[in-house]
Amino acid sequence: MVGDEAGRFVGYTSDIKRFADYKVVIVPSAFFDEDVYGTSQSEPVLPLNSIEGVPFLFGKPEIERAGDTLVVHADLVASAFFLLSRYEEVLHRNIRDLYGRFPGKESLPFRAGFIDRPVVDEYGKLIRKWLKSNGVKTVEHLPFIRKIYLTHDVDAPFYNRAWRNVVRKFFSGHNPLIAIRDKFRPLLWDPNFTFPWLFQQNKQLQSAVGEDRCISFLFFKAGGKTKSDKPRYNLKGKDIKALFELCREQGVSVGLHSSFQAGLEPSLIASELKKLEDAYSMAIKHNRHHFLSSREPEDMEYLEKAGITDDFTMGYADVAGFRLGTSQPVRFINPVTKRLSSLTLHPLVIMDGTLEEKKYMNLTAEEAEDYCMKLIQNIRNVNGDLTLLWHNTSVVYGRGYLRDLYSKLIKQIVVSSQ
Ligand SMILES: [Zn+2]
């Protein structure tokens, strides 16, 4: 949480004899006690307490001095662990939505009113402040976004290219000759093929902040037989080959979009990964689940086993914000075994449909822009990363406000980064 060598001045102990070894001590609550961990007794009680304006889950909002040491009774360590490990999803296996996902609106950060704040990063900031007030040199940063990931899931790359759409148009009264003509027109004429426009937007930000700080990603599906995996596309067909080529030309990274079925049966991730690697002729290390439908926290183990090093799934579909309580990349912690894995999770902060869809946040264009800017500002304040997910289908010309919002957000981040 402290993020630099000043961390060695912070202790996590209730042993009074050891307080003098540190400049700041966090006193553990009962959360990790054997007879508490994993039981309903470990549930935080609402309303939560705050310390210096930052909500925390366990302990008391008290700070005292013991000699040269600041002793903090707010258990920021257990609070961070609870949020980072998705502990509550294990405690509440019975709460899942239609797609088997833990709903954001049931989450503690949402219910306690801080889903829009990366509070774990704020804990780090508080601890650094306490260390500084106690004479320890800490690195200070101005508001700054460390890395920006502009990501796009390739769910439905084309509209006119598949024969089933030609047939559908025929039965809905369209001129069949036009439907057939549209199928064979150049790819750039396909209404869903908005990737060149998206990449153009991304380039504006990349030229402003540098390609090492702003990375553009396309996540491709490579399997899945459920209804939610439709439409399927041929990774070896000429249209996807053309899209792969565009990615190479434009310096866009390619990742796996694990299928909805692989969300249900995570053992399928490995074969989907292999299929995409074969088609793209390159090792793939990054993943995001289709429908964000990685279900149980432990399922992340399958990603690691398959050779994925970085996952971008961790956001809620129904509410934008900080699912893991942080805007920083963090390593996956299995809440059942408490094992810290080698898999890095990049929190997904904003998905396009979350803002607009009636069943999710149902925001107007103006409300969505204000909310996004608030999230972005909160990331700047803690020097975190920003991951956006915008689908090619939501920026189809004339379809809602998401196209306009995307270019507005890009422009605003360009301005605020200068
Ligand atoms: Zn998807």
Side-chain angles (χ1 to χ4, degrees):
M1 276 194 286
V2 177
D4 52 52
E5 61 170 32
R8 70 193 159 94
F9 295 104
V10 184
Y12 186 53
T13 177
S14 50
D15 182 353
I16 296 171
K17 293 194 289 294
R18 292 183 56 208
F19 283 4
D21 297 345
Y22 305 103
K23 291 291 183 186
V24 171
V25 162
I26 312 266
V27 178
S29 61
F31 177 79
F32 289 112
D33 289 0
E34 234 171 82
D35 53 344
V36 172
Y37 191 85
T39 72
S40 57
Q41 274 187 67
S42 60
E43 193 96 66
V45 181
L46 294 180
L48 298 179
N49 284 313
S50 291
I51 191 153
E52 302 195 20
V54 185
F56 64 95
L57 283 54
F58 308 103
K60 290 175 283 185
E62 288 163 18
I63 304 181
E64 57 180 335
R65 186 167 272 283
D68 271 350
T69 309
L70 278 182
V71 179
V72 180
H73 292 273
D75 188 351
L76 303 184
V77 175
S79 302
F81 180 93
F82 180 100
L83 297 165
L84 294 171
S85 70
R86 298 162 65 201
Y87 178 83
E88 64 179 330
E89 299 182 37
V90 171
L91 218 49
H92 299 291
R93 301 260 194 209
N94 56 329
I95 303 178
R96 295 294 185 265
D97 72 2
L98 189 66
Y99 301 109
R101 308 171 297 193
F102 185 71
K105 287 174 186 164
E106 296 285 348
S107 71
L108 181 87
F110 183 82
R111 289 184 292 116
F114 64 82
I115 188 78
D116 56 352
R117 288 173 61 177
V119 289
V120 175
D121 307 342
E122 293 183 35
Y123 298 159
K125 215 172 159 177
L126 266 185
I127 296 171
R128 283 197 299 275
K129 192 185 118 186
W130 292 330
L131 284 170
K132 194 178 169 204
S133 75
N134 216 5
V136 178
K137 266 198 179 163
T138 56
V139 184
E140 276 189 69
H141 301 284
L142 291 169
F144 175 79
I145 305 179
R146 215 177 52 94
K147 270 200 170 170
I148 304 157
Y149 295 96
L150 302 172
T151 71
H152 315 288
D153 294 351
V154 185
D155 291 345
F158 323 112
Y159 183 72
N160 289 325
R161 317 294 280 182
W163 278 112
R164 70 176 171 276
N165 276 352
V166 175
V167 174
R168 194 178 300 150
K169 284 183 194 171
F170 178 76
F171 283 111
S172 57
H174 286 72
N175 182 334
L177 289 177
I178 291 181
I180 291 169
R181 183 202 63 188
D182 286 348
K183 176 176 164 48
F184 292 103
R185 276 185 162 179
L187 202 48
L188 287 173
W189 288 56
D190 190 289
N192 279 9
F193 199 78
T194 55
F195 302 101
W197 183 85
L198 285 168
F199 296 165
Q200 206 182 10
Q201 305 301 307
N202 299 357
K203 279 274 178 239
Q204 288 178 34
L205 186 49
Q206 288 173 317
S207 358
V209 304
E211 292 199 3
D212 53 333
R213 242 182 94 203
C214 176
I215 299 160
S216 178
F217 260 102
L218 238 53
F219 291 97
F220 287 85
K221 288 192 291 185
K225 291 198 168 82
T226 73
K227 210 174 118 208
S228 302
D229 290 312
K230 286 183 178 174
R232 284 182 274 276
Y233 45 80
N234 178 5
L235 284 175
K236 295 204 166 160
K238 67 173 181 12
D239 290 339
I240 292 291
K241 274 192 177 159
L243 185 51
F244 282 157
E245 202 41 53
L246 190 63
C247 290
R248 288 200 161 98
E249 255 173 51
Q250 303 273 325
V252 175
S253 303
V254 164
L256 173 68
H257 198 33
S258 285
S259 68
F260 186 81
Q261 193 185 2
L264 290 162
E265 299 168 58
S267 59
L268 294 174
I269 293 167
S271 56
E272 292 186 3
L273 180 65
K274 183 160 187 330
K275 206 169 148 198
L276 180 61
E277 286 180 328
D278 283 349
Y280 192 58
S281 312
M282 232 175 110
I284 306 276
K285 298 285 172 198
H286 300 80
N287 175 71
R288 175 180 293 123
H289 276 267
H290 186 40
F291 275 66
L292 310 181
S293 78
S294 179
R295 298 179 168 216
E296 303 307 314
E298 308 93 300
D299 293 352
M300 290 280 171
E301 303 265 357
Y302 287 89
L303 289 172
E304 198 187 3
K305 258 186 250 160
I308 294 289
T309 58
D310 294 74
D311 179 78
F312 288 78
T313 309
M314 283 299 105
Y316 289 120
D318 60 338
V319 52
F322 302 95
R323 179 170 184 169
L324 302 176
T326 180
S327 61
Q328 316 271 355
V330 285
R331 284 200 280 148
F332 160 64
I333 306 166
N334 184 327
V336 178
T337 59
K338 300 190 196 142
R339 184 180 80 93
L340 180 68
S341 79
S342 63
L343 176 71
T344 301
L345 308 179
H346 299 266
L348 166 62
V349 184
I350 307 170
M351 174 167 86
D352 49 7
T354 305
L355 306 165
E356 192 195 36
E357 283 185 39
K358 271 206 171 64
K359 62 178 186 289
Y360 295 151
M361 294 182 84
N362 194 23
L363 302 177
T364 64
E366 205 171 283
E367 289 165 347
E369 187 181 342
D370 287 350
Y371 187 66
C372 291
M373 288 317 295
K374 180 160 92 173
L375 296 175
I376 292 169
Q377 190 54 42
N378 290 347
I379 293 172
R380 279 168 51 80
N381 288 341
V382 295
N383 307 127
D385 290 2
L386 168 66
T387 299
L388 297 180
L389 161 52
W390 243 254
H391 293 81
N392 57 300
T393 42
S394 57
V395 300
V396 169
Y397 204 72
R399 188 182 292 173
Y401 64 70
L402 291 171
R403 179 180 170 107
D404 201 29
L405 178 61
Y406 191 65
S407 60
K408 270 189 187 163
L409 292 181
I410 295 283
K411 285 194 180 77
Q412 302 226 35
I413 305 167
V414 168
V415 171
S416 66
S417 309
Q418 279 157 356

